[in-house]
Amino acid sequence: MTVLAIIPARGGSKSIPRKNIKPLCGKPLIAWTIEAAHAAESIGRVVVSTDDDEIATVSRSFGAEVVIRPAEISGDLASSESALLHVLQTLDNLEDYRPEVLAFLQCTSPLTRPEDIDGTVEMVSEGGCDSAATMTPFHFFIWREDRQGQMTGVNHRATQRLMRQEREVQFLEVGAVYAMRTGGFLENRFRFFGRIGKYIIPSSRALEIDEPEDWTRAEALMRATAKPSQFRRRSTRWAKIQAVVTDFDGVMTDNRVRVDQDGNESVVCHRGDGWGISLLRDAGIAVACISTEENPVVRARCEKLGIPYWQGQQEKLLALREFLGRQGIEPANCLYVGNDTNDAGCLDYVGIAVVPRDAASEVVPLADWQTRAAGGEGVLREIASLILEENPRG
């Protein structure tokens, strides 16, 4: 069953200027939804609908297709449905492409996970529903105020206070994922029709960013709970990797140092990393190491592996740019792996950012992928396997 994901993203945000491309935990807001869509097993194509050139550029850099939305359906009062209909009509006219199921994703819900998308789509593709949405159980009392200022219960009787167990379960719509049969949507021109299904997500992820305080809450939640390993994508970016650049301590080592009675320092490295580097080089992928560590062990290990290196490098991003420039490789085609805050600039600069399992919590949200291996346990070997799996070479 063909499933198209559409992410509407206008440029004219009022409460949070340039919201859709404002960095959230190291990535543009829209990138989190694009990556979740790419990682969802059910999604065949990911299209961003926008009226903004900068949003279009950012979306393409994260692997999404873009359909430019005309001004007449890009204003504050324009419905999301109008954007969906425009994309469907555009793809039909240009490519004769008609997906069976449409997944409407909102980038203002950055906590959306691939399984949320797959689960909502499955309600339509296999669950007998015509349309579906992400929802979360709702147990609160709602009141309204009439013209006389009198408060009246909406979902309860003001004179009766039932226990939670006694009340009928209600559900709050979460504007993260909507799924619908395309034919029914084209006929009804609205996201809900026919038999409506619900895909339950926990209230802790029922977040939509509309106001500045929502942004602050999203950052806190993502830093506390983000798991980049869930975002391993079927993305073209993995297949286009031409360079792998790595930190030394905490990636090629376990971040510990051994000091003998004479003050001599030593570290332990994983032989698997050497094999991983060999596989990458055999596949024509450039490999380099950039480290702030001044100990000669960096030079000794990198020279044995036969890779260029920078040590005692306080400005890692400058070294990374220099290396990529000499190689003629675009940042989008580079993978960087680092484990701590001094790697943040490089992680944010490249096409794919990777951190080890035991990376510092501050840089985990910057990552596209978190390895199963901890530092010093074969991180580069795992990365080599992932890259070559996505694009076998030779």
Side-chain angles (χ1 to χ4, degrees), residues 100-361:
E100 297 169 86
V101 174
L102 173 62
F104 162 30
L105 313 179
Q106 297 204 107
C107 61
T108 48
S109 296
L111 297 177
T112 300
R113 295 183 178 178
E115 55 264 34
D116 299 334
I117 300 171
D118 286 331
T120 309
V121 168
E122 187 178 351
M123 298 297 298
V124 172
S125 63
E126 300 179 22
C129 295
D130 299 296
S131 56
T134 46
M135 301 184 185
T136 193
F138 184 83
H139 305 286
F140 300 95
F141 295 104
I142 300 177
W143 295 78
R144 67 166 172 257
E145 184 177 10
D146 63 23
R147 293 180 180 178
Q148 287 72 44
Q150 175 64 33
M151 301 303 297
T152 306
V154 174
N155 63 345
H156 68 289
R157 291 171 57 187
T159 57
Q160 185 178 24
R161 200 71 168 181
L162 295 177
M163 299 293 290
R164 176 170 168 173
Q165 302 91 312
E166 300 175 301
R167 296 166 56 203
E168 180 182 359
V169 178
Q170 296 180 324
F171 299 93
L172 178 69
E173 179 184 330
V174 180
V177 184
Y178 301 89
M180 58 210 82
R181 296 186 183 276
T182 305
F185 172 68
L186 291 173
E187 179 181 350
N188 291 273
R189 305 177 77 82
F190 193 68
R191 71 192 72 180
F192 291 120
F193 53 88
R195 182 186 176 195
I196 300 170
K198 65 182 185 303
Y199 178 81
I200 299 298
I201 65 172
S203 59
S204 59
R205 291 196 287 106
L207 174 70
E208 298 179 61
I209 297 179
D210 293 315
E211 303 296 334
E213 54 267 30
D214 299 327
W215 191 279
T216 302
R217 181 182 169 212
E219 283 187 323
L221 286 170
M222 294 183 78
R223 291 189 186 282
T225 65
K227 297 180 180 179
S229 58
Q230 74 195 15
F231 290 123
R232 185 190 171 196
R233 303 172 301 285
R234 295 171 288 117
S235 169
T236 55
R237 289 195 290 160
W238 282 93
K240 292 181 179 179
I241 289 301
Q242 299 174 3
V244 171
V245 181
T246 179
D247 183 21
F248 187 75
D249 285 325
V251 176
M252 299 176 72
T253 78
D254 61 5
N255 216 24
R256 294 185 295 176
V257 61
R258 292 162 176 78
V259 183
D260 66 18
Q261 66 271 20
D262 299 317
N264 298 313
E265 297 182 355
S266 63
V267 298
V268 174
C269 298
H270 196 284
R271 287 188 180 276
D273 285 338
W275 183 241
I277 289 172
S278 178
L279 291 173
L280 291 171
R281 294 174 64 190
D282 288 346
I285 297 173
V287 183
C289 176
I290 302 175
S291 176
T292 57
E293 178 58 58
E294 298 182 356
N295 192 293
V297 68
V298 178
R299 173 182 57 80
R301 182 59 176 162
C302 290
E303 288 184 351
K304 182 172 183 180
L305 295 172
I307 61 173
Y309 63 93
W310 288 256
Q311 68 176 114
Q313 184 68 46
Q314 299 305 313
E315 297 292 338
K316 287 188 170 185
L317 184 54
L318 292 178
L320 176 60
R321 286 174 169 166
E322 177 187 341
F323 172 70
L324 295 179
R326 287 208 315 257
Q327 298 291 323
I329 297 173
E330 293 294 324
N333 297 329
C334 175
L335 180 152
Y336 184 87
V337 53
N339 77 305
D340 216 327
T341 53
N342 60 357
D343 296 302
C346 295
L347 291 167
D348 191 48
Y349 180 68
V350 298
I352 295 182
V354 179
V355 298
R357 187 187 73 219
D358 57 345
S361 60

